[in-house]
Amino acid sequence: MHTRRTLRRSRIAAGVLAAAALLVAGCSDGGSTNTASTNTASTTTAQAALAPLPQATPSALASYYGQKPVWRSCGVPGFQCATLKAPLDYAHPESGQVRLAVARKKATGPGKPLGSLLVNPGGPGGSAVGYLQEYAGIGYPAQVRARYDMVAVDPRGVARSEPVECLEGRQMDAYTQTDVTPDDQEETDELVAAYKKFAEGCGARSAKLLRHVSTVEAARDMDIVRAALGDRKLTYVGASYGTYLGATYAGLYPDRVGRLVLDGAMDPSLPARRMNLDQTAGFETAFQSFAKDCVKHADCPLGGPRTTPQQVGDHLKAFFRKLDAHPIPAGDADGRKLGEALATTGVIAAMYDEAAWEQLREALTSAMKQNDGAGLLSLSDSYYERDSGGRYANLMFANAAVNCLDLPPAFDSPQQVEKALPAFEKASPVFGVGLAWSSLNCAYWPVRATGEPHRIKAAGAAPIVVVGTTRDPATPYRWAQSLTRQLSSARLLTYVGDGHTAYGRGSTCIDSAINTYLLHGTPPPAGKRCS
């Protein structure tokens, strides 16, 4: 999910403490199976599909649907910003409001305007406004920007839209350094205490909002934005968690679906534990690709030309064990050292985009050969959106808040994690233990989940394009296949390659197919594959 082409996060995504929520669902879901006690995917045939809402706008929401945005300068050349309102609680619209930050860049022409194109980079917790201003509004294909007003809304609880807050910078520093591969009861207790402190911080600082940051509510907010923009139907490109948000919109409002692109798709039918296990396997697949590439380069610190991917993984695990016992200097102004937790996050961050592999090799070489952890710490800070002043964006706070509300927890106790460790280690010998323990965080969340796994059918919707990458680390390809089967009008577009998501990442074939769909409404032929 990220705004730039390197270190794109799904924010479903991954690693270390915060990854727990990420993994829980980078996206989340609703449904029927209690994921706290289920270790396998629930059968979709036994699940109810997300039910569409009535086509008529309820009278209690009329004032929200009647809003007109008042556009003003954003301070970013070429972009305008506005604030819209949505009910805090759709079941009780009179009980309060949330303010939604919206940004746009007007269509540049030439050509007949096609209305608004909403974009979302994923997460949950990624700023869509930031993504629009830093990438989509200037980096999307010129022919798309010529015909569409490029628009973004930060989902409720995210960035500029009444952000969820949990921990101060120094507290968050401690949280991100907590050992997520506990070796004994004392370290397990420390990990549980860290999860509880994080959850308590969110509950204390964002109590009212925590109950109302679900994906369903965010999708309903998008419909208010659609109406305010004057669009009869929603045209949308969502990446990673943004696919879950877009698919949820389609399930709720199938008659209002315009042209929807769901890139790096989530599978809403999965319970949290299975979702986390699948994603763990996805990161292992990405690491195997990295390992094969690394040993081809003279500067690979994990092995040479004859080193197998398994041996590369063994060398990396041995390095992580050394850091667990003896963190190394990282040149950090706040005195942080590079321990196992931050190093693992740094490595995982680079798995999102093969363009970051060179940077990862350099960072590992510095850490392993020169006892300098600055490179890996920089990758980790980028993942967590920590700036040089020690301040964190609200990405990880919103990520946990949405995930823990959308799905019941993957695990209820450390004992459940311990029983599941063999399955996670099988899925990823390198990352499995850490990602299993990272899946425990929602067990201590102060608000009970309101969602469960479910299918999304969106019967009657216009054609929807689902995009899957065969070696995507964060949203495994099988998820795109599953979502395509669920959606009644979906077409699967496959990218045979590495990295997280496919649109705008260098494949002319992928970009051409999506551009044709956005500009002319013609989806790619069934079974189309690109490389």
Side-chain angles (χ1 to χ4, degrees):
M1 126 206 167
H2 198 10
T3 59
R4 299 178 179 85
R5 296 292 111 182
T6 56
L7 297 189
R8 290 179 56 130
R9 314 179 187 39
S10 89
R11 265 343 130 175
I12 182 180
V16 205
L17 288 179
L22 288 171
L23 290 170
V24 159
C27 97
S28 350
D29 318 3
S32 62
T33 301
N34 185 333
T35 61
S37 60
T38 301
N39 195 28
T40 59
S42 51
T43 56
T44 56
T45 55
Q47 293 172 328
L50 181 66
L53 292 170
Q55 293 188 20
T57 301
S59 58
L61 300 180
S63 62
Y64 293 104
Y65 274 84
Q67 295 175 91
K68 300 298 180 186
V70 178
W71 297 105
R72 63 187 185 281
S73 172
C74 290
V76 180
F79 292 87
Q80 299 173 307
C81 291
T83 301
L84 295 173
K85 295 179 180 179
L88 175 67
D89 182 353
Y90 277 91
H92 303 283
E94 74 288 349
S95 65
Q97 300 175 333
V98 293
R99 295 181 300 276
L100 304 174
V102 186
R104 76 173 179 183
K105 186 177 184 184
K106 293 284 288 180
T108 59
K112 181 181 178 181
L114 293 173
S116 305
L117 171 58
L118 269 70
V119 295
N120 184 284
S127 171
V129 171
Y131 176 71
L132 177 73
Q133 294 175 344
E134 296 174 33
Y135 173 67
I138 56 178
Y140 262 41
Q143 62 267 44
V144 173
R145 292 183 286 116
R147 305 283 299 281
Y148 283 103
D149 290 346
M150 301 291 295
V151 179
V153 55
D154 280 346
R156 55 174 62 204
V158 174
R160 298 162 178 83
S161 293
E162 303 200 17
V164 171
E165 299 293 346
C166 297
L167 299 178
E168 300 289 352
R170 288 300 178 95
Q171 294 174 316
M172 192 64 180
D173 280 346
Y175 181 74
T176 61
Q177 295 176 77
T178 304
D179 187 355
V180 290
T181 58
D183 300 314
D184 53 36
Q185 188 60 49
E186 181 179 358
E187 290 186 349
T188 299
D189 291 344
E190 290 174 354
L191 179 60
V192 169
Y195 286 142
K196 289 181 177 179
K197 183 174 182 178
F198 184 93
E200 289 166 0
C202 300
R205 300 182 68 185
S206 302
K208 188 175 181 181
L209 192 59
L210 283 190
R211 299 179 186 277
H212 298 290
V213 291
S214 70
T215 297
V216 167
E217 288 163 312
R220 298 190 69 173
D221 294 345
M222 274 208 307
D223 198 53
I224 288 175
V225 173
R226 173 203 58 78
L229 294 170
D231 292 305
R232 190 171 63 86
K233 295 193 174 186
L234 179 77
T235 299
Y236 173 86
V237 176
S240 193
Y241 164 78
T243 69
Y244 180 69
L245 181 59
T248 299
Y249 181 92
L252 295 173
Y253 306 104
D255 58 306
R256 298 172 195 171
V257 168
R259 300 167 188 177
L260 262 61
V261 177
L262 308 179
D263 184 12
M266 301 296 307
D267 180 356
S269 72
L270 297 179
R273 193 184 304 186
R274 181 53 187 266
M275 185 170 285
N276 294 4
L277 191 61
D278 281 358
Q279 194 182 49
T280 298
F283 280 103
E284 182 65 24
T285 297
F287 179 76
Q288 294 282 317
S289 293
F290 165 75
K292 292 174 183 176
D293 179 77
C294 185
V295 298
K296 297 176 182 178
H297 299 269
D299 65 344
C300 180
L302 296 169
R306 297 182 180 178
T307 308
T308 67
Q310 179 179 339
Q311 290 170 326
V312 171
D314 290 341
H315 294 161
L316 183 61
K317 286 195 296 180
F319 173 59
F320 286 159
R321 285 194 295 271
K322 288 177 61 177
L323 292 177
D324 188 26
H326 302 289
I328 63 176
D332 179 58
D334 294 314
R336 292 176 302 157
K337 291 187 174 183
L338 183 76
E340 181 184 17
L342 293 175
T344 303
T345 303
V347 172
I348 283 178
M351 293 299 101
Y352 282 88
D353 194 330
E354 64 272 26
W357 290 356
E358 180 180 1
Q359 182 182 356
L360 177 58
R361 289 198 312 272
E362 294 172 355
L364 285 170
T365 297
S366 295
M368 298 175 74
K369 306 293 186 182
Q370 300 160 17
N371 208 45
D372 178 4
L376 283 173
L377 183 62
S378 178
L379 285 167
S380 177
D381 284 351
S382 174
Y383 183 87
Y384 284 122
E385 293 196 356
R386 181 193 192 272
D387 67 21
S388 59
R391 295 176 293 271
Y392 289 79
N394 97 305
L395 170 67
M396 291 299 172
F397 309 144
N399 184 278
V402 175
N403 284 326
C404 294
L405 194 62
D406 272 353
L407 279 181
F411 299 107
D412 281 339
S413 67
Q415 291 73 29
Q416 288 188 355
V417 177
E418 289 168 354
K419 290 179 181 178
L421 284 177
F424 277 77
E425 286 189 272
K426 182 179 180 181
S428 176
V430 178
F431 305 117
V433 173
L435 294 181
W437 282 105
S438 292
S439 305
L440 180 62
N441 75 329
C442 286
Y444 308 104
W445 203 243
V447 176
R448 290 183 62 86
T450 56
E452 291 182 331
H454 57 262
R455 293 176 297 111
I456 299 179
K457 188 174 182 181
I464 297 170
V465 175
V466 176
V467 188
T469 297
T470 56
R471 295 188 294 277
D472 190 315
T475 51
Y477 180 63
R478 71 173 70 177
W479 292 359
Q481 294 174 305
S482 177
L483 182 61
T484 302
R485 289 192 295 267
Q486 293 172 48
L487 292 168
S488 62
S489 62
R491 293 281 183 89
L492 177 61
L493 175 62
T494 298
Y495 175 60
V496 182
D498 297 294
H500 181 44
T501 72
Y503 187 42
R505 298 190 68 248
S507 170
T508 302
C509 174
I510 290 288
D511 291 356
S512 176
I514 293 175
N515 293 343
T516 297
Y517 170 66
L518 290 175
L519 295 172
H520 305 291
T522 305
K528 184 172 179 63
R529 297 171 71 86
C530 298
S531 59

